[in-house]
Amino acid sequence: MVKIAVLKEKAAGETRVAATAETVRKFIALGADVAVEAGAGLSAAIADADYAAAGARLGKAADILAGADIVLGVQGPDPKSLKGIAPGAWIIAGLDPFGQRARVDAYAKAGVEALAMEFMPRITRAQSMDILSSQSNLAGYKAVIDAAAAYGRAFPMMMTAAGTISAARAFIMGVGVAGLQAIATARRLGAQVSATDVRSATREQIESLGAKAIFVDSVEGIEGEGSGGYATEMSDAYKAAQAELVSAHIAKQDIVITTALIPGRAAPRLISDAQIASMKPGSVIFDLAVAQGGNVEGSVADQMVERHGVKIIGYANTPAHLPADASALFARNLYNFLSAFWDKEAGRPLLPDEDEITAAIRLTKGGVIVNERLLATA
Ligand code: NAD
């Protein structure tokens, strides 16, 4: 019987858990034995008793890892903690392969097969397994909610007996999964919303959500969706045109949510200190990219910084601020992945070497790094 172990997250500030009572039950229905580290779900509002009722064994890390074939995590476990697992066991989590290269090397050395969920390819078949999408969606929502909480005014237009309050103006920079959810959330709260991106395909998406599209027209951006839905670093001419456009627009905004990322690189700088100085005091900027280097000059992870009367916020780990929902979706992503590759005869998931998903997410096997993206940046 294949043994799945679910660890309690050890990283500072990580409140999520990689399995819920629901996914434990589903893994057991597939024929797996599931063991959960005691207390693993507490910060996501899942009690040990809930896991036990779903059929999981509970125990200390060393006990649940003994003989484990598959170890599930939100973030990658410390390689030193993995003693006792089965040879060639799979480690499945958000492994931050570029940021935590030494840890990936240690997984290779330990002879385990490390599978990085954030490298899931953007193909239709893998959509339900995509942790970047599920977590970004919630992060986009949370950014708007927390920006609204820090804003000393209301979002919607209000007509009261004492007079009228005008609607907040919200500007969303970067319209991927997080940005689209930020637009929808800010609209629901009653703000007047505008948004921008470098990928031309987002123009229609912005407009279909009832927001105004603000685009650089003088220099060509990225045609359509971009490669795999991702942006690349832009030319200097584009950056200059974007800075000019943003300068003209941002001074009139009350709320700015930045979400721009470029895979494997530092986040692009979108807002300078001079642009912040042009904003009205009391405005709020939420930098969702703060942990990847930041879109906003002066933003500091997990701190509220005030510059020129403007509040700048951003979390090192935004989904961890919604642990119950973020865990529920993350856990389903893991289940959807493993169940799609479940081999009934073998009684466990099998990853064919030639499968596109295997090639994309497998980092280590047989003691070495095997992933093309990682090898290209070695
Ligand atoms: P992301 O987190 O990598 O980046 C966020 C956004 O920032 C992107 O829209 C990007 O274009 C934008 N950006 C980058 N540099 C910028 C700059 N200098 N200025 C302004 N904006 C900039 O992106 P994401 O949220 O992961 O998604 C990107 C796309 O991939 C979306 O269209 C999404 O629908 C698609 N997607 C497809 C699948 C799938 O088919 N399985 C899964 C997830 C996402």
Side-chain angles (χ1 to χ4, degrees):
M1 192 183 260
V2 66
K3 289 175 100 174
I4 300 179
V6 181
L7 289 174
K8 182 174 162 64
E9 297 299 312
K10 307 292 185 300
E14 186 53 83
T15 56
R16 295 169 291 173
V17 60
T20 57
E22 174 195 295
T23 63
V24 164
R25 203 172 286 121
K26 287 179 166 171
F27 282 126
I28 290 172
L30 286 174
D33 167 87
V34 184
V36 178
E37 184 175 351
L42 286 182
S43 52
I46 308 170
D48 285 350
D50 297 334
Y51 287 119
R57 287 186 291 119
L58 281 116
K60 291 199 181 118
D63 302 331
I64 66 153
L65 286 171
D69 303 293
I70 297 175
V71 179
L72 302 182
V74 173
Q75 300 189 33
D78 179 354
K80 288 200 279 291
S81 72
L82 295 175
K83 287 184 192 98
I85 61 173
W90 297 0
I91 310 298
I92 311 177
L95 296 177
D96 187 14
F98 295 120
Q100 301 268 4
R101 182 56 194 263
R103 196 168 64 188
V104 176
D105 290 338
Y107 290 145
K109 230 172 146 194
V112 298
E113 191 168 332
L115 303 168
M117 288 298 284
E118 62 268 76
F119 276 8
M120 194 59 73
R122 297 203 144 167
I123 52 177
T124 309
R125 179 164 63 101
Q127 250 171 355
S128 66
M129 313 170 190
D130 186 351
I131 59 164
L132 290 184
S133 289
S134 71
Q135 305 301 293
S136 295
N137 202 333
L138 289 165
Y141 162 83
K142 188 66 174 162
V144 175
I145 296 297
D146 286 8
Y151 184 48
R153 299 169 186 270
F155 262 43
M157 188 187 84
M158 289 188 199
M159 303 226 281
T160 78
T164 301
I165 286 174
S166 49
R169 288 171 195 268
F171 181 38
I172 316 298
M173 303 184 72
V175 186
V177 178
L180 285 172
Q181 184 56 255
I183 294 175
T185 305
R187 289 264 301 151
R188 270 185 230 126
L189 288 179
Q192 265 184 43
V193 184
S194 57
T196 191
D197 202 291
V198 291
R199 295 181 297 112
S200 66
T202 58
R203 186 190 287 264
E204 210 181 289
Q205 296 163 1
I206 293 167
E207 286 166 357
S208 72
L209 286 172
K212 189 169 174 214
I214 307 283
F215 273 76
V216 170
D217 288 323
S218 53
V219 185
E220 203 168 317
I222 297 173
E223 273 303 300
E225 285 281 4
S227 154
Y230 288 118
T232 46
E233 175 132 18
M234 305 307 285
S235 66
D236 287 344
Y238 185 96
K239 284 185 195 163
Q242 186 185 40
E244 200 181 311
L245 177 82
V246 170
S247 291
H249 189 65
I250 209 168
K252 295 178 235 128
Q253 302 305 311
D254 302 301
I255 305 288
V256 180
I257 311 285
T258 69
T259 80
L261 293 177
I262 300 168
R265 286 184 170 242
R269 179 53 47 87
L270 301 182
I271 301 182
S272 66
D273 190 65
Q275 288 168 327
I276 297 168
S278 77
M279 295 178 72
K280 283 171 282 180
S283 302
V284 179
I285 304 177
F286 194 111
D287 186 353
L288 265 174
V290 69
Q292 284 85 17
N295 294 144
V296 182
E297 186 171 353
S299 65
V300 182
D302 296 329
Q303 280 184 35
M304 185 181 293
V305 177
E306 203 155 330
R307 289 269 183 278
H308 315 288
V310 176
K311 289 178 179 148
I312 307 167
I313 45 187
Y315 300 136
N317 182 349
T318 315
H321 288 253
L322 292 156
D325 279 336
S327 300
L329 298 187
F330 194 106
R332 279 190 208 139
N333 290 142
L334 294 181
Y335 173 78
N336 292 336
F337 162 55
L338 287 174
S339 62
F341 287 95
W342 209 271
D343 185 291
K344 273 201 188 123
E345 259 169 51
R348 58 162 296 152
L350 297 176
L351 286 176
D353 288 339
E354 64 285 0
D355 192 284
E356 191 180 352
I357 292 179
T358 310
I361 70 170
R362 189 187 269 156
L363 304 184
T364 64
K365 189 173 173 153
V368 290
I369 304 256
V370 295
N371 188 274
E372 267 178 33
R373 277 171 84 184
L374 268 189
L375 289 171
T377 56

